[in-house]
mmCIF file of all heavy atoms in Angstrom:
data_model
loop_
_atom_site.group_PDB
_atom_site.id
_atom_site.type_symbol
_atom_site.label_atom_id
_atom_site.label_comp_id
_atom_site.label_asym_id
_atom_site.label_seq_id
_atom_site.Cartn_x
_atom_site.Cartn_y
_atom_site.Cartn_z
ATOM 1 N N GLY A 1 -49.225 -98.178 279.276
ATOM 2 C CA GLY A 1 -48.746 -98.333 277.916
ATOM 3 C C GLY A 1 -49.116 -99.701 277.363
ATOM 4 O O GLY A 1 -49.752 -100.517 278.038
ATOM 5 N N THR A 2 -48.724 -99.950 276.111
ATOM 6 C CA THR A 2 -49.091 -101.204 275.454
ATOM 7 C C THR A 2 -47.858 -101.854 274.835
ATOM 8 O O THR A 2 -46.923 -101.183 274.398
ATOM 9 C CB THR A 2 -50.126 -100.981 274.336
ATOM 10 O OG1 THR A 2 -49.584 -100.065 273.371
ATOM 11 C CG2 THR A 2 -51.421 -100.432 274.893
ATOM 12 N N VAL A 3 -47.877 -103.179 274.791
ATOM 13 C CA VAL A 3 -46.889 -103.939 274.035
ATOM 14 C C VAL A 3 -47.658 -105.026 273.288
ATOM 15 O O VAL A 3 -48.362 -105.833 273.887
ATOM 16 C CB VAL A 3 -45.785 -104.529 274.936
ATOM 17 C CG1 VAL A 3 -46.354 -105.410 276.039
ATOM 18 C CG2 VAL A 3 -44.779 -105.301 274.094
ATOM 19 N N VAL A 4 -47.542 -104.977 271.966
ATOM 20 C CA VAL A 4 -48.293 -105.882 271.100
ATOM 21 C C VAL A 4 -47.327 -106.852 270.439
ATOM 22 O O VAL A 4 -46.329 -106.433 269.836
ATOM 23 C CB VAL A 4 -49.081 -105.092 270.029
ATOM 24 C CG1 VAL A 4 -49.796 -106.040 269.072
ATOM 25 C CG2 VAL A 4 -50.080 -104.152 270.705
ATOM 26 N N TYR A 5 -47.622 -108.148 270.575
ATOM 27 C CA TYR A 5 -46.874 -109.179 269.863
ATOM 28 C C TYR A 5 -47.726 -109.579 268.663
ATOM 29 O O TYR A 5 -48.809 -110.144 268.823
ATOM 30 C CB TYR A 5 -46.619 -110.390 270.753
ATOM 31 C CG TYR A 5 -46.108 -111.596 270.001
ATOM 32 C CD1 TYR A 5 -44.799 -111.639 269.529
ATOM 33 C CD2 TYR A 5 -46.945 -112.673 269.729
ATOM 34 C CE1 TYR A 5 -44.341 -112.727 268.816
ATOM 35 C CE2 TYR A 5 -46.487 -113.772 269.023
ATOM 36 C CZ TYR A 5 -45.183 -113.792 268.564
ATOM 37 O OH TYR A 5 -44.736 -114.872 267.847
ATOM 38 N N ARG A 6 -47.238 -109.247 267.474
ATOM 39 C CA ARG A 6 -48.022 -109.423 266.244
ATOM 40 C C ARG A 6 -49.372 -108.738 266.447
ATOM 41 O O ARG A 6 -49.432 -107.532 266.543
ATOM 42 C CB ARG A 6 -48.098 -110.891 265.855
ATOM 43 C CG ARG A 6 -46.690 -111.484 265.574
ATOM 44 C CD ARG A 6 -46.747 -112.839 264.920
ATOM 45 N NE ARG A 6 -45.418 -113.414 264.769
ATOM 46 C CZ ARG A 6 -44.595 -113.176 263.742
ATOM 47 N NH1 ARG A 6 -44.975 -112.373 262.775
ATOM 48 N NH2 ARG A 6 -43.399 -113.751 263.681
ATOM 49 N N ASP A 7 -50.466 -109.477 266.576
ATOM 50 C CA ASP A 7 -51.755 -108.797 266.783
ATOM 51 C C ASP A 7 -52.318 -109.088 268.171
ATOM 52 O O ASP A 7 -53.511 -108.941 268.413
ATOM 53 C CB ASP A 7 -52.763 -109.196 265.702
ATOM 54 C CG ASP A 7 -52.989 -110.698 265.643
ATOM 55 O OD1 ASP A 7 -52.211 -111.445 266.260
ATOM 56 O OD2 ASP A 7 -53.942 -111.132 264.965
ATOM 57 N N HIS A 8 -51.434 -109.464 269.103
ATOM 58 C CA HIS A 8 -51.866 -109.796 270.463
ATOM 59 C C HIS A 8 -51.357 -108.753 271.451
ATOM 60 O O HIS A 8 -50.144 -108.550 271.577
ATOM 61 C CB HIS A 8 -51.346 -111.184 270.868
ATOM 62 C CG HIS A 8 -51.746 -112.277 269.928
ATOM 63 N ND1 HIS A 8 -53.023 -112.814 269.903
ATOM 64 C CD2 HIS A 8 -51.044 -112.934 268.963
ATOM 65 C CE1 HIS A 8 -53.081 -113.760 268.977
ATOM 66 N NE2 HIS A 8 -51.900 -113.844 268.387
ATOM 67 N N ASP A 9 -52.271 -108.093 272.139
ATOM 68 C CA ASP A 9 -51.904 -107.066 273.109
ATOM 69 C C ASP A 9 -51.549 -107.742 274.434
ATOM 70 O O ASP A 9 -52.433 -108.099 275.224
ATOM 71 C CB ASP A 9 -53.063 -106.080 273.288
ATOM 72 C CG ASP A 9 -52.687 -104.889 274.166
ATOM 73 O OD1 ASP A 9 -51.586 -104.913 274.776
ATOM 74 O OD2 ASP A 9 -53.483 -103.934 274.244
ATOM 75 N N LEU A 10 -50.257 -107.906 274.683
ATOM 76 C CA LEU A 10 -49.811 -108.596 275.888
ATOM 77 C C LEU A 10 -50.136 -107.823 277.151
ATOM 78 O O LEU A 10 -50.237 -108.406 278.236
ATOM 79 C CB LEU A 10 -48.293 -108.832 275.828
ATOM 80 C CG LEU A 10 -47.752 -109.619 274.632
ATOM 81 C CD1 LEU A 10 -46.241 -109.769 274.752
ATOM 82 C CD2 LEU A 10 -48.422 -110.986 274.521
ATOM 83 N N SER A 11 -50.301 -106.513 277.022
ATOM 84 C CA SER A 11 -50.507 -105.681 278.209
ATOM 85 C C SER A 11 -51.876 -105.905 278.859
ATOM 86 O O SER A 11 -52.096 -105.468 279.988
ATOM 87 C CB SER A 11 -50.317 -104.198 277.869
ATOM 88 O OG SER A 11 -50.990 -103.848 276.685
ATOM 89 N N VAL A 12 -52.779 -106.603 278.166
ATOM 90 C CA VAL A 12 -54.099 -106.882 278.763
ATOM 91 C C VAL A 12 -54.279 -108.370 279.052
ATOM 92 O O VAL A 12 -55.336 -108.787 279.509
ATOM 93 C CB VAL A 12 -55.238 -106.381 277.846
ATOM 94 C CG1 VAL A 12 -55.135 -104.873 277.656
ATOM 95 C CG2 VAL A 12 -55.242 -107.098 276.499
ATOM 96 N N TYR A 13 -53.241 -109.167 278.817
ATOM 97 C CA TYR A 13 -53.328 -110.615 279.050
ATOM 98 C C TYR A 13 -53.347 -110.917 280.553
ATOM 99 O O TYR A 13 -52.633 -110.279 281.333
ATOM 100 C CB TYR A 13 -52.133 -111.330 278.425
ATOM 101 C CG TYR A 13 -52.324 -111.751 276.985
ATOM 102 C CD1 TYR A 13 -53.348 -111.234 276.206
ATOM 103 C CD2 TYR A 13 -51.469 -112.678 276.407
ATOM 104 C CE1 TYR A 13 -53.507 -111.621 274.891
ATOM 105 C CE2 TYR A 13 -51.617 -113.084 275.089
ATOM 106 C CZ TYR A 13 -52.643 -112.554 274.326
ATOM 107 O OH TYR A 13 -52.798 -112.953 273.034
ATOM 108 N N ASP A 14 -54.127 -111.928 280.931
ATOM 109 C CA ASP A 14 -54.076 -112.417 282.305
ATOM 110 C C ASP A 14 -52.970 -113.468 282.426
ATOM 111 O O ASP A 14 -52.287 -113.789 281.450
ATOM 112 C CB ASP A 14 -55.429 -112.984 282.741
ATOM 113 C CG ASP A 14 -55.911 -114.153 281.886
ATOM 114 O OD1 ASP A 14 -55.084 -114.769 281.160
ATOM 115 O OD2 ASP A 14 -57.103 -114.478 281.948
ATOM 116 N N ASP A 15 -52.776 -114.002 283.626
ATOM 117 C CA ASP A 15 -51.675 -114.939 283.866
ATOM 118 C C ASP A 15 -51.766 -116.167 282.974
ATOM 119 O O ASP A 15 -50.749 -116.662 282.464
ATOM 120 C CB ASP A 15 -51.658 -115.373 285.331
ATOM 121 C CG ASP A 15 -51.182 -114.266 286.268
ATOM 122 O OD1 ASP A 15 -50.591 -113.284 285.763
ATOM 123 O OD2 ASP A 15 -51.398 -114.379 287.488
ATOM 124 N N SER A 16 -52.958 -116.670 282.772
ATOM 125 C CA SER A 16 -53.133 -117.867 281.950
ATOM 126 C C SER A 16 -52.737 -117.606 280.501
ATOM 127 O O SER A 16 -52.046 -118.422 279.869
ATOM 128 C CB SER A 16 -54.590 -118.344 282.026
ATOM 129 O OG SER A 16 -54.811 -119.448 281.178
ATOM 130 N N ALA A 17 -53.160 -116.467 279.975
ATOM 131 C CA ALA A 17 -52.841 -116.122 278.588
ATOM 132 C C ALA A 17 -51.348 -115.867 278.419
ATOM 133 O O ALA A 17 -50.748 -116.246 277.404
ATOM 134 C CB ALA A 17 -53.646 -114.900 278.153
ATOM 135 N N LEU A 18 -50.723 -115.237 279.406
ATOM 136 C CA LEU A 18 -49.278 -114.996 279.335
ATOM 137 C C LEU A 18 -48.501 -116.307 279.396
ATOM 138 O O LEU A 18 -47.489 -116.476 278.705
ATOM 139 C CB LEU A 18 -48.840 -114.075 280.473
ATOM 140 C CG LEU A 18 -49.226 -112.599 280.339
ATOM 141 C CD1 LEU A 18 -48.867 -111.828 281.599
ATOM 142 C CD2 LEU A 18 -48.560 -111.967 279.120
ATOM 143 N N THR A 19 -48.953 -117.245 280.206
ATOM 144 C CA THR A 19 -48.301 -118.560 280.272
ATOM 145 C C THR A 19 -48.373 -119.251 278.918
ATOM 146 O O THR A 19 -47.387 -119.830 278.444
ATOM 147 C CB THR A 19 -48.971 -119.439 281.343
ATOM 148 O OG1 THR A 19 -48.803 -118.818 282.623
ATOM 149 C CG2 THR A 19 -48.355 -120.827 281.375
ATOM 150 N N ARG A 20 -49.520 -119.189 278.289
ATOM 151 C CA ARG A 20 -49.690 -119.814 276.969
ATOM 152 C C ARG A 20 -48.803 -119.121 275.924
ATOM 153 O O ARG A 20 -48.180 -119.784 275.086
ATOM 154 C CB ARG A 20 -51.159 -119.750 276.554
ATOM 155 C CG ARG A 20 -51.483 -120.521 275.277
ATOM 156 C CD ARG A 20 -52.977 -120.695 275.104
ATOM 157 N NE ARG A 20 -53.682 -119.414 275.046
ATOM 158 C CZ ARG A 20 -54.456 -118.945 276.038
ATOM 159 N NH1 ARG A 20 -54.611 -119.649 277.152
ATOM 160 N NH2 ARG A 20 -55.069 -117.787 275.924
ATOM 161 N N TYR A 21 -48.722 -117.801 276.006
ATOM 162 C CA TYR A 21 -47.856 -117.041 275.097
ATOM 163 C C TYR A 21 -46.399 -117.452 275.258
ATOM 164 O O TYR A 21 -45.694 -117.722 274.277
ATOM 165 C CB TYR A 21 -48.034 -115.541 275.373
ATOM 166 C CG TYR A 21 -46.921 -114.668 274.863
ATOM 167 C CD1 TYR A 21 -46.745 -114.455 273.498
ATOM 168 C CD2 TYR A 21 -46.031 -114.053 275.749
ATOM 169 C CE1 TYR A 21 -45.722 -113.648 273.026
ATOM 170 C CE2 TYR A 21 -45.012 -113.243 275.280
ATOM 171 C CZ TYR A 21 -44.860 -113.051 273.928
ATOM 172 O OH TYR A 21 -43.833 -112.260 273.461
ATOM 173 N N ARG A 22 -45.933 -117.543 276.501
ATOM 174 C CA ARG A 22 -44.544 -117.946 276.747
ATOM 175 C C ARG A 22 -44.282 -119.355 276.233
ATOM 176 O O ARG A 22 -43.242 -119.617 275.619
ATOM 177 C CB ARG A 22 -44.223 -117.875 278.248
ATOM 178 C CG ARG A 22 -44.210 -116.485 278.836
ATOM 179 C CD ARG A 22 -43.592 -116.479 280.223
ATOM 180 N NE ARG A 22 -44.305 -117.342 281.155
ATOM 181 C CZ ARG A 22 -45.291 -116.943 281.946
ATOM 182 N NH1 ARG A 22 -45.696 -115.679 281.910
ATOM 183 N NH2 ARG A 22 -45.862 -117.779 282.788
ATOM 184 N N ARG A 23 -45.196 -120.245 276.479
ATOM 185 C CA ARG A 23 -45.004 -121.647 276.103
ATOM 186 C C ARG A 23 -44.980 -121.825 274.590
ATOM 187 O O ARG A 23 -44.189 -122.607 274.062
ATOM 188 C CB ARG A 23 -46.111 -122.510 276.715
ATOM 189 C CG ARG A 23 -45.915 -123.998 276.454
ATOM 190 C CD ARG A 23 -46.933 -124.835 277.213
ATOM 191 N NE ARG A 23 -48.295 -124.542 276.820
ATOM 192 C CZ ARG A 23 -49.232 -124.045 277.618
ATOM 193 N NH1 ARG A 23 -48.947 -123.781 278.890
ATOM 194 N NH2 ARG A 23 -50.455 -123.810 277.179
ATOM 195 N N GLU A 24 -45.802 -121.072 273.881
ATOM 196 C CA GLU A 24 -45.981 -121.304 272.448
ATOM 197 C C GLU A 24 -45.091 -120.439 271.563
ATOM 198 O O GLU A 24 -44.814 -120.819 270.421
ATOM 199 C CB GLU A 24 -47.452 -121.086 272.072
ATOM 200 C CG GLU A 24 -48.392 -122.085 272.730
ATOM 201 C CD GLU A 24 -49.849 -121.837 272.366
ATOM 202 O OE1 GLU A 24 -50.130 -120.840 271.639
ATOM 203 O OE2 GLU A 24 -50.708 -122.619 272.822
ATOM 204 N N HIS A 25 -44.630 -119.295 272.059
ATOM 205 C CA HIS A 25 -43.978 -118.337 271.163
ATOM 206 C C HIS A 25 -42.563 -117.907 271.546
ATOM 207 O O HIS A 25 -41.838 -117.393 270.690
ATOM 208 C CB HIS A 25 -44.839 -117.067 271.043
ATOM 209 C CG HIS A 25 -46.209 -117.315 270.516
ATOM 210 N ND1 HIS A 25 -46.459 -117.589 269.183
ATOM 211 C CD2 HIS A 25 -47.416 -117.367 271.146
ATOM 212 C CE1 HIS A 25 -47.764 -117.773 269.012
ATOM 213 N NE2 HIS A 25 -48.359 -117.647 270.177
ATOM 214 N N VAL A 26 -42.158 -118.089 272.813
ATOM 215 C CA VAL A 26 -40.925 -117.461 273.297
ATOM 216 C C VAL A 26 -39.946 -118.496 273.849
ATOM 217 O O VAL A 26 -40.335 -119.406 274.587
ATOM 218 C CB VAL A 26 -41.235 -116.426 274.404
ATOM 219 C CG1 VAL A 26 -39.956 -115.703 274.826
ATOM 220 C CG2 VAL A 26 -42.274 -115.419 273.929
#
């Protein structure tokens, strides 16, 4: 399945991208 934050598909993010997402948005 998919989970999209605004226009970013979190379900295909790697660890580095998820870390950046957490740091900047959550």
Side-chain angles (χ1 to χ4, degrees):
T2 58
V3 57
V4 176
Y5 168 74
R6 299 192 185 274
D7 57 348
H8 304 284
D9 187 351
L10 303 181
S11 46
V12 299
Y13 271 16
D14 60 18
D15 288 344
S16 176
L18 286 174
T19 297
R20 187 166 59 252
Y21 161 71
R22 293 193 301 268
R23 184 173 61 243
E24 296 179 357
H25 301 286
V26 184

